[in-house]
Amino acid sequence: MSGAKVISVDAAAWRDAQASARDLAKVRRDMPRLLRQVERAARDDVERVRQEAAARQDGTDRALADLSEHAKKLEDETSRRLRKHGRQLAEGRKQLAEQGERLAAEIARERAERRAGLAAVDARVGELRGESDAAAEAARRLFGDARTMHDAIRDTLPHDRFAPGRLERLASRLDVARGNLEAHAAGYSLSQVQDLYLDLSELRADVERLALEWEALRAEALAALRTVAATIEDNAERPIAEADPGVVLDVDHWTDGGLGALRDEVARQVDAVADPDCPLDAAELRALISEAAPEYEGRLDALVERAAERIVASQLRVNVAEQVVAVLEGQGFAWSGNTYAAGDERRAFFSRLRHRADGGEVVVEVAPDGDGPGFTLRILSYEDDPDEAARRERSAAVSRALRAEGLDAGDPAEDAAGPDPALRDFAALSRPAARDEAGESPLVKRAGVRARGADER
């Protein structure tokens, strides 16, 4: 018969422990100081967007200073609306989508007004053609406006980012119009030139609006990501209720580095979005706000929950081992030591006992069963003259004691593998595979207190 007895235990019935895990797993989001910092950074970002947009619009206006009087009047109206949109974005970035829709509608109405205004010029084209000098003058004036608009877009606006290829196509049309003017077909080029100018003017409005909205989206995405980053930092170490003073739950440790990986991923996203050359387009920024940031929050919830469950399960293993030790002490054994596998509280907990009369040893192993509260209990006997009946009674008494405590402990079963002699050597068993830079194993972080449940009862 084997000297190893296995008792399967489901700790789900341990309601108090489960309640403690649920309470510990609640992610803290009421963090006024950190949230104030995030909000302050968000306001700074929005103000930066406003200032940069205003500076860009000032530069475009200066570049358009040489427009003809009629064209300048049309562009001044566009500038007024874009500046108003910039102020609205600064005052309320959460209404960004609605504001953008309103601006697009306003610009659409403005375009219709422009076309109506230029249609009045079209009505006079026939007359102007009959007066070649007047027709040529009108065409050349509009061509000059078109060239001024082209150069302003080229030199002051991020057209490649927000309207790739459009300026190049319009530049080709500008070359064709120039050729017609030089071929002394000015009067007959008037409609062509005024259409070209209108398309360039629309490109200007589109690029300025899209650039403004992209910058505001970037500011909102940064705020969302920074809120996640702050929440991660505020939950990295959690005080453990009803524990020794200074004892905290190190979430990264209890999730095997999961929190650190999430922190690094969010930090990379923050850096990418904060970069002035951020490669993300508007759709990707919206996805960060509406999908990625909430997903990061959900992952944080899951990590904190996992850490809480694992640390509570670790304490349950210690409690169960203590109960088993108490039963065995009633059968003539004396406790001689505790340890964790590799000195790691996330792993199996061991207690060792020696029989007072014959010197035989028993090692109690309480090993985790996944990340939940369930675990497996093994009672490993090392005796020169084994008494199998005594072993069976010893294991049955343990099962009865655990059931009396409300645990769903099964009947003892034989472990075909038998007891491993190496598990008697607690010095080797507890030796960590690796240490941190400070030379200590990163278990539950404590402020000047000793670890409970290891080498003392």
Side-chain angles (χ1 to χ4, degrees):
M1 301 294 286
S2 170
K5 298 293 189 290
V6 180
I7 299 174
S8 178
V9 182
D10 179 2
W14 204 321
R15 294 181 180 178
D16 290 343
Q18 291 291 87
S20 296
R22 285 194 297 271
D23 182 64
L24 189 58
K26 294 176 181 176
V27 171
R28 291 188 303 239
R29 289 187 168 85
D30 181 17
M31 39 185 190
R33 180 182 61 83
L34 290 175
L35 290 177
R36 282 196 299 270
Q37 292 176 354
V38 171
E39 186 58 35
R40 191 159 49 245
R43 287 196 300 269
D44 290 344
D45 287 334
V46 172
E47 177 61 17
R48 173 188 55 78
V49 170
R50 189 194 66 77
Q51 292 180 358
E52 291 178 355
R56 182 173 61 243
Q57 289 163 352
D58 287 344
T60 303
D61 288 347
R62 285 192 297 270
L64 296 176
D66 293 334
L67 288 175
S68 66
E69 182 178 352
H70 179 67
K72 193 171 188 307
K73 182 178 179 181
L74 293 175
E75 298 311 320
D76 284 347
E77 180 62 17
T78 295
S79 295
R80 184 190 67 78
R81 287 174 174 163
L82 287 167
R83 289 178 188 277
K84 179 182 177 183
H85 188 48
R87 290 192 297 271
Q88 290 172 331
L89 291 174
E91 292 165 1
R93 56 189 170 82
K94 292 185 181 299
Q95 285 73 42
L96 174 64
E98 295 178 4
Q99 293 167 0
E101 291 174 1
R102 286 197 297 270
L103 178 63
E106 289 176 2
I107 289 178
R109 287 194 297 270
E110 179 182 305
R111 288 174 179 173
E113 292 169 4
R114 289 181 181 181
R115 293 187 184 278
L118 290 174
V121 177
D122 282 336
R124 298 197 304 272
V125 168
E127 298 175 8
L128 291 172
R129 284 174 181 165
E131 303 171 12
S132 58
D133 290 343
E137 176 63 25
R140 290 191 183 97
R141 184 175 63 251
L142 273 173
F143 178 81
D145 288 340
R147 184 174 56 193
T148 298
M149 180 65 72
H150 169 274
D151 294 349
I153 295 170
R154 180 195 62 197
D155 298 338
T156 68
L157 297 179
H159 60 90
D160 282 337
R161 182 182 193 108
F162 298 106
R166 281 178 64 180
L167 186 62
E168 288 77 6
R169 291 191 292 272
L170 291 171
S172 297
R173 289 170 56 187
L174 197 62
D175 289 340
V176 172
R178 179 185 295 108
N180 289 338
L181 288 171
E182 291 173 352
H184 308 292
Y188 295 94
S189 302
L190 187 56
S191 294
Q192 174 192 40
V193 174
Q194 65 190 28
D195 284 344
L196 173 59
Y197 171 78
L198 180 58
D199 288 345
L200 283 162
S201 179
E202 290 178 349
L203 174 59
R204 175 254 174 138
D206 285 346
V207 171
E208 290 212 48
R209 176 178 60 84
L210 292 172
L212 185 63
E213 293 180 1
W214 181 84
E215 282 286 6
L217 275 172
R218 185 163 75 103
E220 187 172 357
L222 270 176
L225 291 171
R226 285 170 177 158
T227 298
V228 175
T231 307
I232 290 172
E233 291 306 319
D234 197 58
N235 287 273
E237 294 184 358
R238 304 290 305 277
I240 299 177
E242 300 178 2
D244 290 340
V247 180
V248 297
L249 169 64
D250 182 346
V251 176
D252 187 54
H253 172 68
W254 286 94
T255 57
D256 302 318
L259 186 74
L262 178 62
R263 178 193 291 116
D264 292 345
E265 185 177 343
V266 173
R268 286 193 297 271
Q269 284 281 27
V270 169
D271 289 343
V273 176
D275 188 340
D277 296 323
C278 171
L280 302 179
D281 60 24
E284 290 169 323
L285 290 172
R286 290 190 187 95
L288 272 180
I289 297 164
S290 63
E291 298 173 19
E295 191 231 342
Y296 289 143
E297 293 272 8
R299 285 168 59 183
L300 174 61
D301 288 340
L303 287 168
V304 173
E305 181 178 355
R306 181 187 180 206
E309 288 180 349
R310 291 186 77 186
I311 196 171
V312 169
S314 177
Q315 187 60 51
L316 287 180
R317 294 195 292 274
V318 174
N319 295 348
V320 167
E322 289 180 346
Q323 291 180 44
V324 175
V325 167
V327 171
L328 296 180
E329 285 176 334
Q331 298 183 359
F333 286 86
W335 172 84
S336 64
N338 291 335
T339 192
Y340 287 97
D344 190 335
E345 293 182 1
R346 296 168 297 186
R347 301 178 66 177
F349 182 77
F350 296 87
S351 291
R352 185 178 58 204
L353 302 97
R354 185 182 300 274
H355 199 277
R356 294 184 178 88
D358 59 25
E361 283 191 339
V362 169
V363 172
V364 178
E365 176 189 8
V366 191
D369 182 10
D371 287 345
F375 49 86
T376 298
L377 167 66
R378 293 202 304 162
I379 302 175
L380 311 173
S381 299
Y382 304 90
E383 299 162 301
D384 294 332
D385 187 16
D387 182 342
E388 186 56 34
R391 289 177 176 174
R392 283 196 295 269
E393 174 51 33
R394 182 186 307 156
S395 300
V398 168
S399 291
R400 290 193 297 271
L402 295 178
R403 285 195 287 267
E405 291 295 326
L407 292 172
D408 185 12
D411 293 330
E414 297 290 338
D415 185 348
D420 183 354
L423 298 181
R424 302 175 68 180
D425 185 354
F426 274 27
L429 182 62
S430 63
R431 189 175 300 122
R435 298 260 180 182
D436 62 16
E437 294 179 357
E440 298 177 351
S441 294
L443 301 179
V444 178
K445 293 189 177 179
R446 302 169 188 268
V449 299
R450 295 183 60 190
R452 297 171 58 192
D455 296 328
E456 61 176 322
R457 294 180 58 247

